[in-house]
Amino acid sequence: MIGVIGATGSTGRALVAALKEKGADFRCLVRDTAAAAEKLGGDVEMVQADLADAASLEAGLQGCDKLFLLSGHSPVMVEQQMNAVNAAKAAGVGHIVKLSGGSFITKEASPAMIGRGHWELEEAIKASGLEWTMLRPGFFMQNFLNMAEMIKGMGKVMMPLPADVPLGMIDVRDTADVAANVLTSDGHAGQTYELSGPNVVPAEAVAAIGEAIGKEIAFVTVPMEGAVGAMKERGMPDWLVDHQSTLMGMAANGEMVSYGNDLIAELSGHAPRTPADFARDFAGAFQG
Ligand SMILES: NC(=O)c1ccc[n+]([C@@H]2O[C@H](COP(=O)([O-])OP(=O)(O)OC[C@H]3O[C@@H](n4cnc5c(N)ncnc54)[C@H](OP(=O)(O)O)[C@@H]3O)[C@@H](O)[C@H]2O)c1
């Protein structure tokens, strides 16, 4: 039995679809079972559990031999994911598959708070005595969904990035396909998998969205101060504004490039999805 934490999110929903397709035996630990059933389908085994409540995690993981661990950006990510690691140990889980940060931020002295957190968690999992596999994806193509209103309303994407800076992107469905394989086959213990397709430049990704919806979408580079102001105006908390601007600064410097490996194909059995695949399949979100 595989325990899945983070099932209702972007990567998690794709993982649930991939595990269903494989006919895998899995159980999702979710905060709100009714809301999760609407997102994942009523045929998915679920148990109520919260990363802030260690006892609920230990109860939810009873009978699981593997755990997929993911949670969203949060200032309490380390504390909450440590609850899951300790609960996994107590419940007799043998192997944790952690959705981590990209390698360029997952470092002890990373300028990005979330990157330092992922590094601390990876180290704690490695020291836990459990088997482990780390998945380190690149820039999610699904990040563009956060800009859907801008695309619909203004016909452009504004980011503090040069239009031609190379980014190692990944469709979260590829991460999910890799994770589903790792969770259902042997030979992945002690591995850190760096996952991205080939480099894509922002202008190309945005053009693919335009092509999918039959409308020209411009990519506009804005100064970092403008991007910070816009995030604050949208009500983002200071820690998240700091994190996002640090990440964008690193990406703008060319630090978020493709890993240049073939791991997505090797571990998922198919070529990495392209920005055109992403744009075609999510076109509905950018229209209207
Ligand atoms: N965006 C990128 O380009 C990028 C690149 C590399 C790595 N990453 C990493 O990817 C991760 C985010 O992945 P994602 O975008 O797929 O996640 P997401 O869509 O933000 O989903 C977060 C999931 O965590 C669950 N969760 C949050 N707090 C919880 C709690 N207290 N108890 C139980 N469940 C809780 C959420 O459940 P609810 O439905 O209840 O909220 C949801 O299922 C982060 O660790 C990030 O650092 C992101």
Side-chain angles (χ1 to χ4, degrees):
M1 171 68 78
I2 300 161
V4 178
I5 297 180
T8 50
S10 185
T11 310
R13 286 197 303 269
L15 174 62
V16 166
L19 288 172
K20 275 190 196 181
E21 200 170 308
K22 282 185 178 290
D25 207 7
F26 67 100
R27 177 192 306 147
C28 300
L29 283 74
V30 297
R31 288 195 272 200
D32 179 337
T33 50
E38 273 189 30
K39 287 181 184 162
L40 305 175
D43 56 337
V44 172
E45 183 176 335
M46 277 179 222
V47 59
Q48 198 283 330
D50 193 311
L51 281 163
D53 175 1
S56 72
L57 297 169
E58 189 178 331
L61 288 171
Q62 292 301 319
C64 292
D65 53 343
K66 289 192 179 176
L67 166 63
F68 176 81
L69 177 57
L70 173 160
S71 59
H73 282 161
S74 158
V76 291
M77 176 182 78
V78 173
E79 182 188 321
Q80 292 198 338
Q81 291 201 11
M82 276 313 301
N83 282 342
V85 174
N86 292 329
K89 222 174 156 173
V93 171
H95 187 152
I96 295 181
V97 178
K98 171 171 162 55
L99 193 291
S100 196
S103 290
F104 70 103
I105 61 160
T106 305
K107 295 179 179 160
E108 184 171 15
S110 176
M113 179 191 84
I114 297 287
R116 293 192 298 277
H118 280 308
W119 183 87
E120 193 179 334
L121 285 160
E122 285 194 359
E123 293 302 303
I125 291 168
K126 289 174 184 174
S128 70
L130 304 183
E131 292 192 332
W132 53 267
T133 309
M134 309 302 174
L135 305 181
R136 291 182 170 189
F139 180 94
F140 293 0
M141 292 180 194
Q142 277 72 6
N143 291 338
F144 287 104
L145 294 172
N146 299 332
M147 293 165 229
E149 290 312 312
M150 201 192 289
I151 291 172
K152 285 195 270 193
M154 297 195 276
K156 59 184 170 186
V157 167
M158 295 186 287
M159 293 176 83
L161 290 178
D164 60 353
V165 70
L167 299 175
M169 292 195 191
I170 185 166
D171 187 309
V172 298
R173 295 172 296 175
D174 289 347
T175 312
D177 291 344
V178 168
N181 177 23
V182 167
L183 289 161
T184 57
S185 64
D186 294 330
H188 307 288
Q191 299 292 325
T192 296
Y193 292 133
E194 298 181 312
L195 305 170
S196 75
N199 279 319
V200 176
V201 304
E204 190 185 335
V206 170
I209 295 171
E211 198 153 309
I213 62 175
K215 188 172 151 189
E216 197 159 321
I217 307 296
F219 180 82
V220 181
T221 302
V222 292
M224 186 62 81
E225 308 79 69
V228 166
M231 287 189 273
K232 286 190 173 166
E233 245 171 57
R234 293 211 307 272
M236 255 191 206
D238 287 346
W239 68 267
L240 189 52
V241 173
D242 281 354
H243 176 67
Q244 298 291 20
S245 52
T246 303
L247 277 189
M248 287 299 106
M250 294 173 84
N253 283 339
E255 294 175 47
M256 211 190 278
V257 288
S258 167
Y259 296 120
N261 61 38
D262 293 323
L263 281 174
I264 294 176
E266 282 170 28
L267 294 166
S268 74
H270 61 72
R273 289 175 171 89
T274 63
D277 294 330
F278 162 73
R280 184 195 59 234
D281 296 343
F282 288 84
F286 300 111
Q287 282 166 322

